[in-house]
Amino acid sequence: MTETDLLRRNVNLIGGQWVAADDGATLDVTNPADGAVIGTVPKSGTAETRRAIEAAASAFETFRKTTAAERADMLFALYEAIRTNVDDLAFILTSEQGKPLAEAKGELGLSAAYVRWFAEEARRAYGDLIPSPFKGRKLMVTREPVGVTAAITPWNFPSSMLSRKVGPAIAAGCTVVIKPASQTPFSGLAWGALAELAGFPPGVINVVTGSASVIGAELTANPLVRKITFTGSTEVGKILIRQAADTVKRVSMELGGNAPFIVFDDADIDRAIEGAMIAKYRNAGQTCVCTNRFLVQDGIHDAFVDRLARATGELRVGRGTDEGVQQGPLIDEAAVAKVEELIADAAGKGGRIVEGGARHALGGTYFQPTVIAEATTAMEIAQEEIFGPVSPVFRFNDEAEAIALANDTPFGLACYFYTSDLGRAFRVSDELRYGLVGVNDGFITTEVAPFGGVKESGIGSEGGPYGIDEYLDLKYISLGGLD
């Protein structure tokens, strides 16, 4: 068995055992680069999910009593397992998701970084001693693991999204049931194999593949699950929040976005173009923090559109495993159809296609990197999350208009703006209603800072010194009779 075969599992991990679905049913997994079936995974349902939850609950009774140092050691071992196997993991990821290998390796690098960060944070989940207003009492606050955690992850970043959930959950002393996206299950199952390599006890990490609605319903309804953490669409997030309410579970939701990228007249245009290419076209535009709207001030508008179109046209599109490819295929035909609909709507309402605008000559789900000028708020593209390689450019006059346009959305995940004016940098940062703000910076994700949105973009934050808080309950202890 090769190292890739060791990590590329095609059955569930439940209570330390690798098992198929009860009825043997499977789901095909395809490579978006050519549509070929690359394997199958179990089409699990309620029964398999319930057993995974019960295995996690049983393991929790022991695991919650481990020391912070012991959990840190496990996470450091997991960190080393990811680093040691990064090439094989990246190949698995690219094969099922489509992104270029360089991007896949970058994602795995970030996954390892999150795990290392939370290995360190495991030893820093401090409590407090509160000065008592009463004689003869000590008032203490401790922090305890919330319990069995269900982690539901998307297909666009199938590894790093898990690292931001599994890392802090394990650091806090929780056990986990993972439900990876059906398009990219092998990357999720690989985390089960990595956990075994790292010496995790059976049942601490469980992985179940299959129907999202059926598995999600059991994860949200089962009272043994005390925490739901989800990354995905706002629509699905709202469903999970409603379902989790019946058992009053804690929830963390990292949901959809509509990221503005504002370029002021005083911006360094070279830096802005460099940031734009990262913020827009990474993973073919299929990220929740990707630029959805370019807002460019009058004085620099035409020059920016010209430069963006040229840089966009130079992107190399192709199979993710080919050398030098910068943009892979979109995940599936539905993603292509949505992009086509948004472009058609924009063109029908006065948008001018400056670059791209159609399916790529490679066929399949490959799409031309696209720039649309003369975009307006009447277009669907102004409000809908694109999730594709399309750059609509809106024109604005002054700072107040830019802020109003940027905030004119129910979402509030990420935003970006470019300026050389220090005062403006602070003013605009204060006014933008987003959880993440990049000032003269198009790539802002890091394990050492919080990641999360406001409004309909989510609840809670992942990463940084705040990420572990989502997996810990506060307990107040009043100790009397000491006088």
Side-chain angles (χ1 to χ4, degrees):
M1 179 181 288
T2 67
E3 198 69 21
T4 301
D5 292 334
L6 176 67
L7 297 170
R8 189 175 175 275
R9 301 302 180 95
N10 62 354
V11 286
N12 296 321
L13 178 61
I14 299 177
Q17 300 296 314
W18 292 97
V19 293
D22 290 354
D23 60 3
T26 60
L27 294 171
D28 288 343
V29 183
T30 60
N31 186 337
D34 55 16
V37 175
I38 58 174
T40 63
V41 294
K43 186 179 181 181
S44 307
T46 301
E48 297 91 339
T49 307
R50 188 169 295 160
R51 285 200 301 276
I53 293 169
E54 290 168 352
S58 177
F60 177 67
E61 291 308 309
T62 301
F63 192 67
R64 68 186 179 89
K65 298 175 184 177
T66 56
T67 67
E70 289 171 331
R71 298 192 298 274
D73 286 344
M74 290 181 205
L75 287 170
F76 276 121
L78 179 59
Y79 163 73
E80 290 296 343
I82 296 171
R83 287 190 46 175
T84 300
N85 295 286
V86 66
D87 289 340
D88 292 309
L89 292 167
F91 182 80
I92 292 170
L93 199 163
T94 292
S95 297
E96 63 181 352
Q97 202 278 335
K99 67 179 60 177
L101 269 176
E103 285 193 27
K105 290 180 181 180
E107 179 179 340
L108 269 301
L110 188 58
S111 299
Y114 273 109
V115 171
R116 180 176 62 181
W117 173 266
F118 286 111
E120 296 161 349
E121 288 297 290
R123 301 169 67 109
R124 301 189 182 99
Y126 304 131
D128 293 290
L129 187 65
I130 301 172
S132 175
F134 312 105
K135 292 181 179 180
R137 291 193 203 177
K138 291 290 184 183
L139 309 184
M140 300 177 289
V141 177
T142 61
R143 304 169 84 194
E144 299 180 347
V146 69
V148 175
T149 295
I152 306 172
T153 53
W155 51 262
N156 57 342
F157 289 93
S159 179
S160 63
M161 294 300 102
L162 272 175
S163 68
R164 297 198 318 217
K165 303 176 189 304
V166 173
I170 297 301
C174 300
T175 54
V176 184
V177 178
I178 294 169
K179 164 58 178 82
S182 294
Q183 296 97 324
T184 55
F186 291 127
S187 290
L189 289 164
W191 274 73
L194 290 166
E196 286 189 332
L197 290 174
F200 280 58
V204 171
I205 289 182
N206 306 272
V207 190
V208 182
T209 63
S211 168
S213 59
V214 175
I215 293 174
E218 178 62 24
L219 292 173
T220 51
N222 195 307
L224 293 175
V225 176
R226 298 310 313 149
K227 163 82 180 183
I228 300 286
T229 174
F230 170 73
T231 298
S233 72
T234 296
E235 179 184 11
V236 173
K238 289 178 179 179
I239 293 171
L240 294 172
I241 292 170
R242 284 192 289 267
Q243 292 177 339
D246 286 341
T247 47
V248 196
K249 302 186 196 303
R250 291 185 63 174
V251 297
S252 295
M253 297 281 148
E254 196 260 282
L255 307 176
N258 187 354
F261 188 108
I262 308 169
V263 185
F264 290 101
D265 283 347
D266 58 20
D268 178 334
I269 193 168
D270 290 332
R271 187 177 183 90
I273 291 296
E274 180 182 358
M277 298 304 292
I278 296 170
K280 174 67 252 185
Y281 294 109
R282 185 164 57 99
N283 198 23
Q286 300 173 119
T287 91
C288 53
V289 296
C290 265
T291 299
N292 214 65
R293 299 167 291 151
F294 284 95
L295 312 178
V296 186
Q297 198 164 11
D298 286 328
I300 203 172
H301 176 274
D302 292 350
F304 181 85
V305 169
D306 179 66
R307 291 280 300 276
L308 180 64
R310 279 190 281 134
T312 298
E314 292 171 359
L315 287 173
R316 184 180 173 190
V317 179
R319 194 182 185 96
T321 50
D322 290 347
E323 187 72 27
V325 165
Q326 297 164 292
Q327 179 185 301
L330 298 187
I331 189 66
D332 55 28
E333 183 61 32
V336 177
K338 179 182 179 181
V339 168
E340 288 182 317
E341 289 172 8
L342 291 173
I343 292 174
D345 176 77
K349 294 174 180 175
R352 178 168 56 90
I353 298 175
V354 183
E355 178 65 40
R359 293 176 184 247
H360 198 276
L362 289 171
T365 61
Y366 293 96
F367 204 89
Q368 295 174 349
T370 299
V371 176
I372 301 175
E374 313 304 332
T376 70
T377 56
M379 299 171 181
E380 293 177 3
I381 211 164
Q383 291 296 331
E384 290 197 29
E385 191 171 21
I386 300 169
F387 244 61
V390 181
S391 297
V393 184
F394 301 72
R395 187 190 298 264
F396 72 88
N397 181 44
D398 56 25
E399 185 176 303
E401 183 184 6
I403 292 169
L405 284 169
N407 287 333
D408 184 22
T409 171
F411 302 103
L413 185 55
C415 62
Y416 312 87
F417 71 93
Y418 280 70
T419 180
S420 296
D421 184 324
L422 183 60
R424 172 174 279 161
F426 281 97
R427 285 195 310 273
V428 175
S429 293
D430 288 344
E431 293 297 324
L432 290 170
R433 296 197 294 273
Y434 290 82
L436 312 170
V437 182
V439 185
N440 298 326
D441 187 1
F443 183 76
I444 57 178
T445 304
T446 170
E447 75 278 8
V448 306
F451 189 105
V454 297
K455 300 190 289 184
E456 292 193 21
S457 284
I459 301 169
S461 290
E462 298 180 317
Y466 317 96
I468 196 171
D469 292 343
E470 304 287 340
Y471 301 87
L472 291 165
D473 285 332
L474 292 179
K475 177 182 281 185
Y476 160 55
I477 302 169
S478 177
L479 182 60
L482 301 179
D483 52 354

